[in-house]
Amino acid sequence: MPTFAATDGTALAYHLRGEGAPLAVLPGGPMRASGYLGDLGGLTAHRRLALLDLRGTGESGTPPDPASYRCDRMVDDVERWRDHLGLERIDLLAHSAAGSLALLYAARHPHRIRRLVLVTPNPSALGMRATPGERLAAARLRADEPWFGRAFPAYRAWLAGDSDFDEVFLPFFYGRWDDTARAHAEHEEAQTNEEAAGHYFAEGAFTPDATRAALAALTAPVLIHAGEYDGGPCPALARRVAEALSGAEVSVQPGAGHYPWLDDPAHFVRRVLAFLGEDADPSR
């Protein structure tokens, strides 16, 4: 397992999987170890994934200052990682909460991005967040599911701030609540640094107007990949994010939730590879 040192001396680890041209990957959570990403639906058959464990997660070290868990503070980690990888420009894929980290990185280092893939991203860096109404609208699309009757009231109460997170509504985050999804969800708590997650979106992390202005210098192609059933972001929010990024394109994966590579791996891989300019033919 390779490591490198952040500017504050924290040892940061990353994992290499697959073969081909490198694709740098930032995990979400926030502050969830990269292991939950697996092989991203089989992308490892086409690209060499470099999956970063953000500071304080997975195999990476704990920083001396907990405030360095704040999203904007980790932009330097990503740039240090790019330099360590020896890449002049990177293809960068970010999932969920890491969407904001990737946007901040692209705003600060626009010329270091070759292509940017934002998978079901949290766009807080642009001053956008999924609303409870959007999340509930997406949840209602699942009304025919056998678990909906128990899950929806608990989900609505949580979004209203009237109750704590309840595992009963975990199915809303997946396009299919099957054995694969249950196994994936089972590891979330162990893979997540909750203390660090509390700092990630802390006050001062984002300056949306400045970030939007800086992103005007980003000329690299951007793909925002959303799930049909995902509430955060819902497809409409994904399209608003694209409007804030000149020339960004949006794809919506049918029947997918927040982890689209689990719901239909073949569809996910085809779409991402097409954007990266590669052939998804497994015989290549």
Side-chain angles (χ1 to χ4, degrees), residues 50-84:
L51 302 110
L52 181 64
D53 281 339
L54 301 180
R55 52 180 52 224
T57 72
E59 301 298 325
S60 287
T62 301
D65 180 8
S68 68
Y69 290 131
R70 203 174 73 176
C71 184
D72 61 317
R73 297 278 299 272
M74 289 190 284
V75 171
D76 287 342
D77 291 349
V78 180
E79 173 60 4
R80 188 91 166 188
W81 185 37
R82 180 206 59 78
D83 183 65
H84 168 81

mmCIF file of all heavy atoms in Angstrom, residues 50-84:
data_model
loop_
_atom_site.group_PDB
_atom_site.id
_atom_site.type_symbol
_atom_site.label_atom_id
_atom_site.label_comp_id
_atom_site.label_asym_id
_atom_site.label_seq_id
_atom_site.Cartn_x
_atom_site.Cartn_y
_atom_site.Cartn_z
ATOM 1 N N ALA A 50 -6.623 4.705 -8.646
ATOM 2 C CA ALA A 50 -5.857 5.139 -7.478
ATOM 3 C C ALA A 50 -6.868 5.742 -6.517
ATOM 4 O O ALA A 50 -7.429 6.810 -6.779
ATOM 5 C CB ALA A 50 -4.797 6.156 -7.869
ATOM 6 N N LEU A 51 -7.158 5.025 -5.422
ATOM 7 C CA LEU A 51 -8.222 5.409 -4.499
ATOM 8 C C LEU A 51 -7.594 5.963 -3.220
ATOM 9 O O LEU A 51 -6.915 5.242 -2.484
ATOM 10 C CB LEU A 51 -9.120 4.215 -4.182
ATOM 11 C CG LEU A 51 -9.773 3.558 -5.407
ATOM 12 C CD1 LEU A 51 -9.165 2.174 -5.654
ATOM 13 C CD2 LEU A 51 -11.274 3.422 -5.221
ATOM 14 N N LEU A 52 -7.823 7.222 -2.963
ATOM 15 C CA LEU A 52 -7.228 7.892 -1.815
ATOM 16 C C LEU A 52 -8.051 7.653 -0.557
ATOM 17 O O LEU A 52 -9.275 7.792 -0.570
ATOM 18 C CB LEU A 52 -7.141 9.395 -2.092
ATOM 19 C CG LEU A 52 -6.519 10.263 -1.004
ATOM 20 C CD1 LEU A 52 -5.044 9.902 -0.796
ATOM 21 C CD2 LEU A 52 -6.666 11.748 -1.351
ATOM 22 N N ASP A 53 -7.374 7.303 0.530
ATOM 23 C CA ASP A 53 -7.993 7.344 1.854
ATOM 24 C C ASP A 53 -7.738 8.744 2.408
ATOM 25 O O ASP A 53 -6.577 9.115 2.665
ATOM 26 C CB ASP A 53 -7.370 6.303 2.792
ATOM 27 C CG ASP A 53 -7.891 4.898 2.559
ATOM 28 O OD1 ASP A 53 -8.984 4.763 1.981
ATOM 29 O OD2 ASP A 53 -7.202 3.942 2.964
ATOM 30 N N LEU A 54 -8.786 9.545 2.539
ATOM 31 C CA LEU A 54 -8.604 10.887 3.078
ATOM 32 C C LEU A 54 -8.018 10.816 4.484
ATOM 33 O O LEU A 54 -8.148 9.800 5.179
ATOM 34 C CB LEU A 54 -9.942 11.627 3.099
ATOM 35 C CG LEU A 54 -10.644 11.798 1.749
ATOM 36 C CD1 LEU A 54 -11.957 12.552 1.938
ATOM 37 C CD2 LEU A 54 -9.753 12.522 0.745
ATOM 38 N N ARG A 55 -7.362 11.861 4.894
ATOM 39 C CA ARG A 55 -6.721 11.887 6.213
ATOM 40 C C ARG A 55 -7.695 11.432 7.307
ATOM 41 O O ARG A 55 -8.869 11.813 7.334
ATOM 42 C CB ARG A 55 -6.192 13.287 6.518
ATOM 43 C CG ARG A 55 -7.213 14.395 6.356
ATOM 44 C CD ARG A 55 -6.642 15.777 6.671
ATOM 45 N NE ARG A 55 -5.418 16.044 5.940
ATOM 46 C CZ ARG A 55 -4.331 16.591 6.490
ATOM 47 N NH1 ARG A 55 -4.355 16.958 7.766
ATOM 48 N NH2 ARG A 55 -3.250 16.805 5.760
ATOM 49 N N GLY A 56 -7.202 10.589 8.183
ATOM 50 C CA GLY A 56 -8.023 10.091 9.284
ATOM 51 C C GLY A 56 -8.967 8.969 8.922
ATOM 52 O O GLY A 56 -9.769 8.536 9.753
ATOM 53 N N THR A 57 -8.887 8.465 7.681
ATOM 54 C CA THR A 57 -9.759 7.366 7.262
ATOM 55 C C THR A 57 -8.923 6.220 6.706
ATOM 56 O O THR A 57 -7.793 6.423 6.255
ATOM 57 C CB THR A 57 -10.762 7.812 6.179
ATOM 58 O OG1 THR A 57 -10.074 8.029 4.937
ATOM 59 C CG2 THR A 57 -11.483 9.086 6.590
ATOM 60 N N GLY A 58 -9.487 5.040 6.724
ATOM 61 C CA GLY A 58 -8.830 3.882 6.134
ATOM 62 C C GLY A 58 -7.428 3.685 6.665
ATOM 63 O O GLY A 58 -7.192 3.646 7.873
ATOM 64 N N GLU A 59 -6.472 3.595 5.748
ATOM 65 C CA GLU A 59 -5.081 3.358 6.119
ATOM 66 C C GLU A 59 -4.286 4.653 6.288
ATOM 67 O O GLU A 59 -3.080 4.605 6.568
ATOM 68 C CB GLU A 59 -4.407 2.486 5.054
ATOM 69 C CG GLU A 59 -5.061 1.127 4.843
ATOM 70 C CD GLU A 59 -5.018 0.262 6.097
ATOM 71 O OE1 GLU A 59 -4.021 0.352 6.841
ATOM 72 O OE2 GLU A 59 -5.988 -0.483 6.340
ATOM 73 N N SER A 60 -4.925 5.795 6.116
ATOM 74 C CA SER A 60 -4.224 7.065 6.274
ATOM 75 C C SER A 60 -4.085 7.434 7.744
ATOM 76 O O SER A 60 -4.856 6.990 8.601
ATOM 77 C CB SER A 60 -4.959 8.189 5.529
ATOM 78 O OG SER A 60 -4.777 8.056 4.133
ATOM 79 N N GLY A 61 -3.096 8.283 8.014
ATOM 80 C CA GLY A 61 -2.827 8.681 9.384
ATOM 81 C C GLY A 61 -3.796 9.738 9.887
ATOM 82 O O GLY A 61 -4.543 10.354 9.131
ATOM 83 N N THR A 62 -3.744 9.933 11.206
ATOM 84 C CA THR A 62 -4.560 10.947 11.870
ATOM 85 C C THR A 62 -3.777 12.253 11.931
ATOM 86 O O THR A 62 -2.639 12.268 12.408
ATOM 87 C CB THR A 62 -4.927 10.500 13.293
ATOM 88 O OG1 THR A 62 -5.655 9.266 13.220
ATOM 89 C CG2 THR A 62 -5.775 11.546 13.995
ATOM 90 N N PRO A 63 -4.345 13.346 11.462
ATOM 91 C CA PRO A 63 -3.602 14.613 11.447
ATOM 92 C C PRO A 63 -3.473 15.207 12.852
ATOM 93 O O PRO A 63 -4.285 14.916 13.732
ATOM 94 C CB PRO A 63 -4.460 15.507 10.554
ATOM 95 C CG PRO A 63 -5.854 14.978 10.740
ATOM 96 C CD PRO A 63 -5.693 13.487 10.880
ATOM 97 N N PRO A 64 -2.476 16.045 13.063
ATOM 98 C CA PRO A 64 -2.318 16.664 14.384
ATOM 99 C C PRO A 64 -3.421 17.667 14.701
ATOM 100 O O PRO A 64 -3.724 17.901 15.876
ATOM 101 C CB PRO A 64 -0.943 17.360 14.283
ATOM 102 C CG PRO A 64 -0.695 17.538 12.815
ATOM 103 C CD PRO A 64 -1.367 16.376 12.146
ATOM 104 N N ASP A 65 -4.027 18.245 13.677
ATOM 105 C CA ASP A 65 -5.055 19.266 13.870
ATOM 106 C C ASP A 65 -6.380 18.783 13.291
ATOM 107 O O ASP A 65 -6.526 18.684 12.073
ATOM 108 C CB ASP A 65 -4.626 20.566 13.192
ATOM 109 C CG ASP A 65 -5.643 21.690 13.355
ATOM 110 O OD1 ASP A 65 -6.613 21.505 14.123
ATOM 111 O OD2 ASP A 65 -5.469 22.743 12.711
ATOM 112 N N PRO A 66 -7.384 18.492 14.129
ATOM 113 C CA PRO A 66 -8.682 18.022 13.613
ATOM 114 C C PRO A 66 -9.347 19.013 12.664
ATOM 115 O O PRO A 66 -10.144 18.610 11.817
ATOM 116 C CB PRO A 66 -9.518 17.826 14.878
ATOM 117 C CG PRO A 66 -8.529 17.661 15.981
ATOM 118 C CD PRO A 66 -7.360 18.515 15.596
ATOM 119 N N ALA A 67 -9.020 20.286 12.769
ATOM 120 C CA ALA A 67 -9.614 21.275 11.867
ATOM 121 C C ALA A 67 -9.202 21.028 10.426
ATOM 122 O O ALA A 67 -9.860 21.508 9.499
ATOM 123 C CB ALA A 67 -9.219 22.687 12.291
ATOM 124 N N SER A 68 -8.120 20.267 10.220
ATOM 125 C CA SER A 68 -7.667 19.982 8.856
ATOM 126 C C SER A 68 -8.570 18.980 8.151
ATOM 127 O O SER A 68 -8.359 18.687 6.971
ATOM 128 C CB SER A 68 -6.227 19.465 8.867
ATOM 129 O OG SER A 68 -6.134 18.190 9.463
ATOM 130 N N TYR A 69 -9.592 18.473 8.837
ATOM 131 C CA TYR A 69 -10.585 17.627 8.181
ATOM 132 C C TYR A 69 -11.569 18.445 7.348
ATOM 133 O O TYR A 69 -12.363 17.873 6.601
ATOM 134 C CB TYR A 69 -11.385 16.834 9.217
ATOM 135 C CG TYR A 69 -10.625 15.739 9.921
ATOM 136 C CD1 TYR A 69 -10.662 15.633 11.311
ATOM 137 C CD2 TYR A 69 -9.899 14.793 9.220
ATOM 138 C CE1 TYR A 69 -10.005 14.617 11.975
ATOM 139 C CE2 TYR A 69 -9.218 13.775 9.869
ATOM 140 C CZ TYR A 69 -9.276 13.680 11.249
ATOM 141 O OH TYR A 69 -8.612 12.675 11.901
ATOM 142 N N ARG A 70 -11.546 19.766 7.515
ATOM 143 C CA ARG A 70 -12.478 20.598 6.764
ATOM 144 C C ARG A 70 -12.199 20.455 5.271
ATOM 145 O O ARG A 70 -11.044 20.412 4.845
ATOM 146 C CB ARG A 70 -12.354 22.060 7.197
ATOM 147 C CG ARG A 70 -13.602 22.878 6.916
ATOM 148 C CD ARG A 70 -13.488 24.268 7.489
ATOM 149 N NE ARG A 70 -12.561 25.111 6.722
ATOM 150 C CZ ARG A 70 -12.337 26.393 6.965
ATOM 151 N NH1 ARG A 70 -12.961 26.972 7.979
ATOM 152 N NH2 ARG A 70 -11.499 27.086 6.225
ATOM 153 N N CYS A 71 -13.248 20.407 4.488
ATOM 154 C CA CYS A 71 -13.143 20.077 3.067
ATOM 155 C C CYS A 71 -12.100 20.918 2.348
ATOM 156 O O CYS A 71 -11.236 20.394 1.634
ATOM 157 C CB CYS A 71 -14.518 20.241 2.418
ATOM 158 S SG CYS A 71 -14.582 19.759 0.679
ATOM 159 N N ASP A 72 -12.158 22.228 2.502
ATOM 160 C CA ASP A 72 -11.233 23.086 1.764
ATOM 161 C C ASP A 72 -9.785 22.890 2.191
ATOM 162 O O ASP A 72 -8.858 23.114 1.409
ATOM 163 C CB ASP A 72 -11.624 24.553 1.915
ATOM 164 C CG ASP A 72 -11.586 25.030 3.362
ATOM 165 O OD1 ASP A 72 -12.057 24.291 4.249
ATOM 166 O OD2 ASP A 72 -11.090 26.145 3.618
ATOM 167 N N ARG A 73 -9.586 22.443 3.432
ATOM 168 C CA ARG A 73 -8.224 22.233 3.926
ATOM 169 C C ARG A 73 -7.572 21.026 3.256
ATOM 170 O O ARG A 73 -6.346 20.890 3.266
ATOM 171 C CB ARG A 73 -8.249 22.031 5.454
ATOM 172 C CG ARG A 73 -8.762 23.219 6.253
ATOM 173 C CD ARG A 73 -7.689 24.263 6.481
ATOM 174 N NE ARG A 73 -6.572 23.731 7.239
ATOM 175 C CZ ARG A 73 -6.497 23.714 8.577
ATOM 176 N NH1 ARG A 73 -7.517 24.196 9.306
ATOM 177 N NH2 ARG A 73 -5.431 23.234 9.193
ATOM 178 N N MET A 74 -8.374 20.142 2.685
ATOM 179 C CA MET A 74 -7.823 18.927 2.070
ATOM 180 C C MET A 74 -7.513 19.074 0.592
ATOM 181 O O MET A 74 -7.012 18.142 -0.031
ATOM 182 C CB MET A 74 -8.772 17.746 2.311
ATOM 183 C CG MET A 74 -8.775 17.300 3.772
ATOM 184 S SD MET A 74 -9.641 15.744 4.043
ATOM 185 C CE MET A 74 -11.323 16.319 3.941
ATOM 186 N N VAL A 75 -7.773 20.245 0.029
ATOM 187 C CA VAL A 75 -7.398 20.480 -1.365
ATOM 188 C C VAL A 75 -5.890 20.308 -1.542
ATOM 189 O O VAL A 75 -5.424 19.738 -2.543
ATOM 190 C CB VAL A 75 -7.858 21.879 -1.817
ATOM 191 C CG1 VAL A 75 -7.275 22.229 -3.183
ATOM 192 C CG2 VAL A 75 -9.384 21.937 -1.867
ATOM 193 N N ASP A 76 -5.126 20.771 -0.570
ATOM 194 C CA ASP A 76 -3.668 20.613 -0.651
ATOM 195 C C ASP A 76 -3.263 19.143 -0.652
ATOM 196 O O ASP A 76 -2.262 18.774 -1.275
ATOM 197 C CB ASP A 76 -2.990 21.338 0.502
ATOM 198 C CG ASP A 76 -3.009 22.853 0.337
ATOM 199 O OD1 ASP A 76 -3.220 23.319 -0.794
ATOM 200 O OD2 ASP A 76 -2.820 23.556 1.342
ATOM 201 N N ASP A 77 -4.024 18.295 0.046
ATOM 202 C CA ASP A 77 -3.732 16.855 0.041
ATOM 203 C C ASP A 77 -3.861 16.286 -1.365
ATOM 204 O O ASP A 77 -3.041 15.467 -1.801
ATOM 205 C CB ASP A 77 -4.682 16.104 0.978
ATOM 206 C CG ASP A 77 -4.451 16.405 2.447
ATOM 207 O OD1 ASP A 77 -3.426 17.039 2.778
ATOM 208 O OD2 ASP A 77 -5.307 16.002 3.256
ATOM 209 N N VAL A 78 -4.908 16.710 -2.070
ATOM 210 C CA VAL A 78 -5.137 16.202 -3.421
ATOM 211 C C VAL A 78 -4.019 16.653 -4.361
ATOM 212 O O VAL A 78 -3.518 15.874 -5.183
ATOM 213 C CB VAL A 78 -6.517 16.645 -3.945
ATOM 214 C CG1 VAL A 78 -6.756 16.105 -5.354
ATOM 215 C CG2 VAL A 78 -7.632 16.174 -3.009
ATOM 216 N N GLU A 79 -3.622 17.907 -4.234
ATOM 217 C CA GLU A 79 -2.548 18.414 -5.097
ATOM 218 C C GLU A 79 -1.221 17.720 -4.776
ATOM 219 O O GLU A 79 -0.446 17.385 -5.678
ATOM 220 C CB GLU A 79 -2.421 19.932 -4.945
ATOM 221 C CG GLU A 79 -1.246 20.553 -5.665
ATOM 222 C CD GLU A 79 -1.239 20.333 -7.174
ATOM 223 O OE1 GLU A 79 -2.199 19.752 -7.732
ATOM 224 O OE2 GLU A 79 -0.249 20.739 -7.816
ATOM 225 N N ARG A 80 -0.969 17.505 -3.490
ATOM 226 C CA ARG A 80 0.245 16.780 -3.097
ATOM 227 C C ARG A 80 0.219 15.365 -3.675
ATOM 228 O O ARG A 80 1.246 14.826 -4.120
ATOM 229 C CB ARG A 80 0.311 16.721 -1.576
ATOM 230 C CG ARG A 80 1.587 16.183 -0.996
ATOM 231 C CD ARG A 80 2.564 17.295 -0.737
ATOM 232 N NE ARG A 80 3.653 16.840 0.110
ATOM 233 C CZ ARG A 80 4.574 17.633 0.625
ATOM 234 N NH1 ARG A 80 4.542 18.926 0.378
ATOM 235 N NH2 ARG A 80 5.537 17.155 1.376
ATOM 236 N N TRP A 81 -0.957 14.750 -3.679
ATOM 237 C CA TRP A 81 -1.124 13.385 -4.206
ATOM 238 C C TRP A 81 -0.864 13.358 -5.708
ATOM 239 O O TRP A 81 -0.161 12.472 -6.202
ATOM 240 C CB TRP A 81 -2.541 12.907 -3.887
ATOM 241 C CG TRP A 81 -2.864 11.502 -4.249
ATOM 242 C CD1 TRP A 81 -2.057 10.405 -4.166
ATOM 243 C CD2 TRP A 81 -4.127 11.032 -4.735
ATOM 244 N NE1 TRP A 81 -2.734 9.277 -4.562
ATOM 245 C CE2 TRP A 81 -4.003 9.629 -4.911
ATOM 246 C CE3 TRP A 81 -5.339 11.642 -5.014
ATOM 247 C CZ2 TRP A 81 -5.066 8.845 -5.378
ATOM 248 C CZ3 TRP A 81 -6.394 10.861 -5.461
ATOM 249 C CH2 TRP A 81 -6.248 9.485 -5.643
ATOM 250 N N ARG A 82 -1.430 14.340 -6.434
ATOM 251 C CA ARG A 82 -1.177 14.399 -7.878
ATOM 252 C C ARG A 82 0.315 14.478 -8.174
ATOM 253 O O ARG A 82 0.838 13.769 -9.047
ATOM 254 C CB ARG A 82 -1.892 15.622 -8.486
ATOM 255 C CG ARG A 82 -1.668 15.755 -9.998
ATOM 256 C CD ARG A 82 -1.806 17.193 -10.466
ATOM 257 N NE ARG A 82 -0.873 18.101 -9.829
ATOM 258 C CZ ARG A 82 0.412 18.207 -10.172
ATOM 259 N NH1 ARG A 82 0.935 17.470 -11.131
ATOM 260 N NH2 ARG A 82 1.199 19.073 -9.537
ATOM 261 N N ASP A 83 1.006 15.333 -7.442
ATOM 262 C CA ASP A 83 2.440 15.478 -7.648
ATOM 263 C C ASP A 83 3.167 14.176 -7.320
ATOM 264 O O ASP A 83 4.076 13.759 -8.042
ATOM 265 C CB ASP A 83 2.958 16.625 -6.783
ATOM 266 C CG ASP A 83 4.430 16.881 -7.002
ATOM 267 O OD1 ASP A 83 4.814 17.282 -8.118
ATOM 268 O OD2 ASP A 83 5.220 16.670 -6.057
ATOM 269 N N HIS A 84 2.741 13.519 -6.241
ATOM 270 C CA HIS A 84 3.346 12.241 -5.852
ATOM 271 C C HIS A 84 3.145 11.178 -6.928
ATOM 272 O O HIS A 84 4.051 10.374 -7.199
ATOM 273 C CB HIS A 84 2.733 11.772 -4.531
ATOM 274 C CG HIS A 84 3.048 10.353 -4.173
ATOM 275 N ND1 HIS A 84 4.240 9.961 -3.595
ATOM 276 C CD2 HIS A 84 2.318 9.208 -4.334
ATOM 277 C CE1 HIS A 84 4.239 8.656 -3.410
ATOM 278 N NE2 HIS A 84 3.083 8.176 -3.847
#
